[in-house]
């Protein structure tokens, strides 16, 4: 299918940081996607928290399934808007590679531990994962992804006016045009992050019993979708079976309404702007992929509801509190005593400490911790804190 003029095209693409012969059988962004799929960081997402800790149930979303759902929704929208599906997909798949174990509780712990050592941000960590931390290839660290994929990670929340120190340094070595907007493809992946987690967190909350149908009736869009689902003929189903199906029918309607509005409004924006290239989109001075004003308000209502009724639910808060304390203790112990790190992390941290670069030593510790899965982090905490567990 021919792509729109404003799509990122192979002709005019900005290449890779380190020159490589291009694949004869794949586009540059298909190759990017395959490198992400085969990376260790992507596999680790399987055992990293979305909302529920990994051991709380086999059917709840993890960072891996979240990333897959973001990619599915993103690719569908990209196809409809006539832009580069492969680029959209790889940005969606890679956007959470830098997430810590235990979700945002883990990130809070790492942010606190790294406050005096350059800070920690999972979006920047995702970029570091694919440019520095992955160690797979002979000629370079990282995955050597295309400029357009890296742009999507760097601008996940839009233009960056005041970059963090690491991002500013990377931009100095490999300019990312941080103050401009990202491509249509990157904007799709970013907003579909919201669409996906609103849908699946609602589904997981209902499945876990943290939310009930009467709760979601408080939110106009959710109530409308629930009413539609309930209005179907459920006479051939048991009460338990119909409740499960109503939950699914409700969630799919929520996602469909968000996606349909997103497509309609984004098309309207693109028609008004009439960009002739991907760079026209970047320098438009505004995002082009967005909800209508009304749907943006409905989306905020869903976010506010989930924060109040699910993310702050006492059961969730108990687990996140324990997770935050455990990771903070790991950070403190390993930050103060990098001799306790396993190889090769120990050698890397101690080499930097001996050179008088404590910030770089602490960053090695943060990289080690950020790469942990929930399960590994719990085991590491026991190894460090429980004398009955072999180190």
């Amino acid at each position: 299918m021919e792509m729109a003029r404003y799509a990122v095209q192979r002709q005019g693409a900005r290449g890779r940081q380190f020159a490589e012969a291009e694949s004869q059988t794949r586009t540059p962004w298909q190759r990017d996607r395959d490198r992400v799929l085969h990376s260790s960081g992507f596999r680790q997402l399987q055992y990293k928290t979305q909302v529920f800790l990994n051991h709380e149930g086999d059917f709840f979303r993890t960072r891996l399934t979240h990333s897959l759902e973001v990619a599915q929704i993103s690719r569908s929208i990209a196809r409809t808007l006539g832009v580069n599906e492969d680029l959209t997909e790889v940005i969606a798949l890679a956007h959470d590679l830098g997430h810590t174990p235990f979700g945002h509780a883990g990130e809070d712990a790492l942010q606190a531990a790294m406050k005096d050592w350059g800070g920690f941000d999972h979006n920047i960590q995702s970029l570091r994962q694919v440019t520095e931390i992955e160690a797979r290839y002979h000629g370079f660290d990282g995955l050597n992804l295309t400029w357009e994929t890296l742009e999507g990670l760097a601008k996940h929340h839009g233009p960056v006016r005041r970059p963090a120190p690491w991002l500013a340094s990377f931009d100095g070595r490999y300019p990312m045009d941080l103050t401009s907007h990202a491509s249509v493809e990157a904007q799709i992946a970013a907003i579909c992050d919201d669409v996906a987690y609103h849908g699946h967190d609602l589904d997981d909350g209902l499945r876990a019993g943290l939310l009930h149908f009467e709760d979601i009736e408080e939110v106009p869009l959710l109530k409308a979708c629930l009413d539609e689902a309930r209005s179907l003929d459920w006479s051939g189903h048991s009460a338990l079976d119909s409740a499960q199906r109503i939950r699914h029918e409700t969630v799919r309607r929520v996602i469909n309404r968000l996606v349909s509005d997103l497509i309609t409004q984004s098309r309207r924006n693109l028609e008004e702007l009439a960009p002739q290239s991907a760079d026209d989109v970047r320098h438009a001075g505004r995002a082009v992929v967005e909800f209508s004003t009304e749907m943006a308000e409905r989306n905020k209502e869903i976010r506010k509801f989930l924060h109040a009724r699910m993310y702050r639910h006492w059961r969730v808060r108990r687990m996140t509190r324990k997770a935050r304390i455990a990771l903070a203790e790991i950070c403190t112990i390993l930050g103060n005593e990098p001799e306790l790190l396993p190889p090769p992390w120990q050698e890397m941290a101690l080499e930097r400490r001996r050179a008088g670069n404590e910030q770089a030593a602490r960053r090695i510790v943060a990289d080690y911790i950020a790469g942990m899965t929930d399960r590994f982090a719990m085991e590491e905490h026991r190894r460090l804190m429980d004398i009955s567990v072999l180190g």
Side-chain angles (χ1 to χ4, degrees):
M1 184 178 73
E2 185 176 353
M3 290 191 287
R5 290 183 177 181
Y6 48 77
V8 169
Q9 312 274 356
R10 190 164 189 166
Q11 183 179 9
R14 303 194 194 186
R16 302 176 188 274
Q17 186 177 9
F18 303 98
E20 290 186 78
E22 288 297 343
S23 170
Q24 298 302 304
T25 57
R26 297 170 292 174
T27 71
W29 302 287
Q30 287 171 340
R31 194 182 200 183
D32 280 1
R33 177 202 59 209
D34 296 346
R35 287 185 172 185
V36 168
L37 288 174
H38 288 278
S39 69
S40 58
F42 189 73
R43 290 194 301 275
Q44 288 164 340
L45 296 179
Q46 179 179 198
Y47 293 109
K48 290 193 177 188
T49 295
Q50 179 62 29
V51 174
F52 297 95
L53 298 192
N54 178 255
H55 67 280
E56 291 187 82
D58 293 337
F59 291 99
F60 297 125
R61 268 69 170 199
T62 65
R63 286 287 158 189
L64 179 63
T65 58
H66 164 69
S67 298
L68 293 172
E69 291 181 35
V70 176
Q72 180 272 312
I73 297 170
S74 298
R75 186 158 190 141
S76 296
I77 294 175
R79 184 181 305 117
T80 303
L81 294 180
V83 296
N84 191 322
E85 293 179 45
D86 296 325
L87 173 58
T88 309
E89 181 182 32
V90 67
I91 296 170
L93 290 171
H95 82 279
D96 263 353
L97 287 177
H99 233 299
T100 61
F102 308 137
H104 290 287
E107 181 168 14
D108 290 344
L110 261 178
Q111 282 175 341
M114 293 297 292
K115 180 180 63 174
D116 298 327
W117 309 106
F120 181 87
D121 177 270
H122 83 265
N123 291 309
I124 292 177
Q125 191 72 7
S126 295
L127 195 56
R128 293 190 64 245
Q129 183 74 28
V130 300
T131 58
E132 291 184 353
I133 298 172
E134 290 284 339
R136 303 175 63 84
Y137 300 97
H138 173 263
F140 47 81
D141 291 330
L143 303 180
N144 199 30
L145 304 181
T146 59
W147 185 93
E148 292 78 16
T149 299
L150 298 181
E151 177 200 33
L153 299 180
K155 303 176 186 176
H156 185 67
H157 294 300
V160 183
R161 308 296 180 191
R162 285 197 248 172
W166 183 89
L167 183 56
S169 174
F170 181 76
D171 183 57
R173 301 191 303 274
Y174 192 51
M176 286 279 101
D177 296 350
L178 292 175
T179 58
S180 69
H181 283 270
S183 63
V184 172
E185 292 84 352
Q187 292 183 40
I188 290 171
I191 202 165
C192 286
D193 189 14
D194 276 14
V195 174
Y197 80 69
H198 284 172
H200 62 53
D201 287 358
L202 178 64
D203 187 28
D204 281 352
L206 289 166
R207 178 192 287 271
L210 304 187
L211 303 174
H212 302 89
F213 288 147
E214 54 266 31
D215 297 326
I216 69 174
E217 289 178 339
E218 300 172 11
V219 185
L221 178 62
L222 302 186
K223 183 180 187 303
C225 294
L226 175 61
D227 288 346
E228 280 185 19
R230 280 173 162 166
S231 70
L232 301 172
D233 181 8
W234 297 104
S235 58
H237 301 271
S238 67
L240 182 63
D241 182 50
S242 60
Q244 176 178 309
R245 292 171 186 260
I246 288 171
R247 184 187 79 234
H248 176 68
E249 290 288 351
T250 299
V251 171
R252 67 190 289 260
R253 281 166 169 76
V254 171
I255 294 173
N256 183 63
R257 290 202 185 194
L258 292 171
V259 168
S260 297
D261 180 89
L262 187 59
I263 290 170
T264 299
Q265 184 62 43
S266 299
R267 272 180 169 159
R268 186 178 296 125
N269 293 345
L270 288 163
E271 287 170 3
E272 290 175 0
L273 181 63
Q276 299 302 300
S277 68
D279 279 342
D280 285 350
V281 172
R282 292 187 175 102
H283 299 292
R286 52 162 293 191
V288 297
V289 180
E290 61 182 1
F291 295 115
S292 66
T293 302
E294 180 182 353
M295 189 57 75
E297 188 59 35
R298 301 289 83 78
N299 192 53
K300 287 180 184 176
E301 291 171 352
I302 297 173
R303 182 184 295 113
K304 184 177 179 181
F305 169 78
L306 287 172
H307 272 278
R309 303 299 292 272
M310 182 173 171
Y311 308 145
R312 294 176 183 166
H313 190 283
W314 67 268
R315 281 170 51 193
V316 174
R317 292 180 74 168
R318 278 190 178 189
M319 293 305 296
T320 55
R321 179 183 180 277
K322 288 186 281 188
R324 187 166 50 249
I325 291 171
L327 211 66
E329 290 177 339
I330 294 173
C331 290
T332 298
I333 293 169
L334 296 181
N336 291 336
E337 300 180 71
E339 297 86 356
L340 301 178
L341 287 165
W345 301 94
Q346 181 186 122
E347 290 85 348
M348 291 190 292
L350 291 176
E351 179 184 358
R352 286 153 178 81
R353 176 169 281 185
R354 284 192 292 266
N357 193 341
E358 183 64 20
Q359 181 162 312
R362 297 279 178 158
R363 182 61 57 191
I364 295 296
V365 175
D367 289 344
Y368 173 66
I369 295 170
M372 293 178 180
T373 62
D374 293 3
R375 183 167 58 188
F376 185 89
M378 288 187 284
E379 292 171 351
E380 185 76 332
H381 185 258
R382 284 194 290 269
R383 286 191 290 264
L384 291 169
M385 299 292 291
D386 187 345
I387 198 169
S388 69
V389 177
L390 293 177

